Amino acid sequence: KYVAWSRLVVESTLFTALTTLLTVYALTGDDIRLIATNEPADIVFDGLTLSCLVIFTFEVVLCIIAKDDYFMSFFMVLDVLSTITLVLDLTLVNDLILGDEEQLSNVRGSGTAKIGA
């Protein structure tokens, strides 16, 4: 019952089109956010990235159920790793790892001050 339903969803044209569009967003969304928008738009991009995380995780689970040769295959490992890396595109995580822009500019400024001293 679950196998048939999972296979139906994973192999449907609509689901494939959705995951393809989300893949294009996952590859380019954070770059577009950095180049073309300001900080208030980050929440929209974070929402889209979280949606990608949920849908890609759902896809992996469905593929594990629907496809006999998917579990622990090369493609499953690729899908899981690429889904996990989306966490780094979330602005909260990015700020925790790199610091926010104000902290970065202070660090750059202090380096310049040391050179001039």
Side-chain angles (χ1 to χ4, degrees), residues 58-90:
F58 181 66
E59 179 187 24
V60 168
V61 170
L62 288 181
C63 285
I64 289 171
I65 294 169
K67 299 177 180 181
D68 295 331
D69 58 347
Y70 184 74
F71 184 69
M72 295 309 291
S73 69
F74 174 74
F75 293 107
M76 185 195 131
V77 172
L78 260 161
D79 289 343
V80 169
L81 288 175
S82 62
T83 300
I84 290 170
T85 62
L86 281 176
V87 173
L88 299 174
D89 287 348
L90 297 171

Side-chain angles (χ1 to χ4, degrees), residues 17-61:
L18 173 67
T19 56
T20 301
L21 287 173
L22 291 178
T23 300
V24 171
Y25 168 78
L27 293 171
T28 61
D30 198 48
D31 295 328
I32 292 170
R33 177 185 67 85
L34 292 170
I35 293 169
T37 66
N38 295 321
E39 192 172 340
D42 287 354
I43 190 84
V44 173
F45 285 91
D46 284 345
L48 287 169
T49 302
L50 281 172
S51 298
C52 287
L53 277 165
V54 168
I55 292 171
F56 291 154
T57 302
F58 181 66
E59 179 187 24
V60 168
V61 170

Side-chain angles (χ1 to χ4, degrees), residues 6-21:
S6 298
R7 187 171 292 127
L8 182 71
V9 171
V10 168
E11 294 176 356
S12 74
T13 305
L14 183 63
F15 191 74
T16 302
L18 173 67
T19 56
T20 301
L21 287 173

Side-chain angles (χ1 to χ4, degrees), residues 39 91-111:
E39 192 172 340
T91 53
L92 174 68
V93 175
N94 205 336
D95 287 346
L96 287 173
I97 293 171
L98 300 176
D100 60 16
E101 289 179 21
E102 185 176 314
Q103 290 173 334
L104 285 175
S105 65
N106 289 340
V107 169
R108 289 186 191 123
S110 67

